[in-house]
Amino acid sequence: MSLELEERLVAKANQAKIPLTVNFELTPICNLGCDMCFIRTEKAVVDKLGGLHTVDEWLEIARKFKELGTLFILLTGGEPMLYPGFKQLYPELKKMGFILTINTNGTMIDEEMAQLLHAYTPRRVNVTLYGPDRDYYQRLTHHADGFDRCMRGLKLLRQYNIDTKMNISLVKSNDDTHQRLLEIAQELDIPAVTNSYMFPCMRSNCAGKRHIVEERLDPIKAAEESVVYMKYKKGEEFPLYVREAVRSIEYVEPRPVGLDCRAASSSGWVNWQQQLSPCVMMEAPRFDLHQVPVAEAWKRLVAESLELPKHEECADCKLRLLCEVCYAGACHEKKMCGNLDYLCLMAHKKVQLLEQVTEHEEDS
């Protein structure tokens, strides 16, 4: 599917409030122990809360969403390939006509899994690489062998010509590895996306176990790494991109931050307990799909999301295009930090860095 066609579909779905994309969080269980993860839940807790749902239950929910117009499904977790029925569920969803994407840490991709993905080709597999070697994996994920297994998975995906994207998550434990991780992506000929901003989100099931605020980069460092990624992504076009981005600020119309993304408009999130919410970071509004029919749950999700209060703190700011703020992120920043200072500092630092680029270009 061409990007242009997809953009047109998304625009129509947003307008008509059709759940074009649905994310299935198959399991919150993961074989890595990343300190900044807000989803990972111990198996004992999962079992105590009712356990994982069956393949048939996921397929039934998928059928109901298909009736509503869903075309794209993202399979995620935790580590989705740890879901016991993954090898049965995945091909069945493909046979139903869904366009599938997978978020994974790459460690479960062996020859058998690669062959399955080759037989039932996904739209894309997004693999997060947490460090450039075993030492960094031990430091961040607490599993040194995760590096070797992830690299094996990445190489198998390339071997089988499966569309792959590398995600890079930067925190204090690996903040000096950004360039090395980008080089690995280049060596494997895989596009990379860097995330230097960690949402201070915390699931109610995981409360008190991890504190992302302590693990994430300080806002100045996060801004610097964000600009490094911009430069990597744009390449020779970076100076032109910077000039356009900086100039666009004066044309931005300040406004409060509402739920302005695709969440609860053309996209929804179904967690491992099969509860529907707008996105991974929002636990409300939320509807249990075993108590509320899918069609009714989606209708109510859209209606209640439209009534969510906006973040007025951003009403007078013109840095929206260069800020990491989103509705859910702002909610969590205020809940865990008491304000939006982190995002503001990050945005202003990014603008400062980009303005320096334009000044350098003019001087030269």
Side-chain angles (χ1 to χ4, degrees), residues 230-272:
M230 290 180 195
K231 185 174 183 180
Y232 169 82
K233 181 180 180 181
K234 297 297 179 180
E236 295 180 357
E237 298 179 0
F238 181 62
L240 175 61
Y241 164 78
V242 170
R243 287 197 296 272
E244 293 176 347
V246 172
R247 289 171 181 169
S248 68
I249 292 175
E250 62 181 287
Y251 300 108
V252 173
E253 181 180 350
R255 55 185 171 82
V257 172
L259 193 59
D260 303 323
C261 61
R262 295 181 59 195
S265 184
S266 65
S267 177
W269 189 277
V270 182
N271 70 7
W272 64 273

Side-chain angles (χ1 to χ4, degrees), residues 294-311:
V294 169
E296 178 63 21
W298 174 255
K299 181 179 178 180
R300 290 169 62 181
L301 185 78
V302 171
E304 292 191 21
S305 295
L306 290 173
E307 300 301 318
L308 291 171
K310 298 180 184 295
H311 298 287

Side-chain angles (χ1 to χ4, degrees), residues 42 89 101 110 113 130 161 174 230 266 294 304 323 326 335:
E42 300 299 330
L89 176 64
T101 301
D110 54 15
M113 185 65 75
Y130 292 102
N161 295 316
N174 67 348
M230 290 180 195
S266 65
V294 169
E304 292 191 21
C323 184
C326 75
K335 179 180 179 180

Side-chain angles (χ1 to χ4, degrees), residues 172 200 211-217 333 336-337:
K172 290 178 181 177
H211 205 299
I212 299 169
V213 172
E214 298 173 355
E215 304 294 334
R216 65 181 179 177
L217 303 177
E333 288 287 345
M336 299 190 70
C337 304

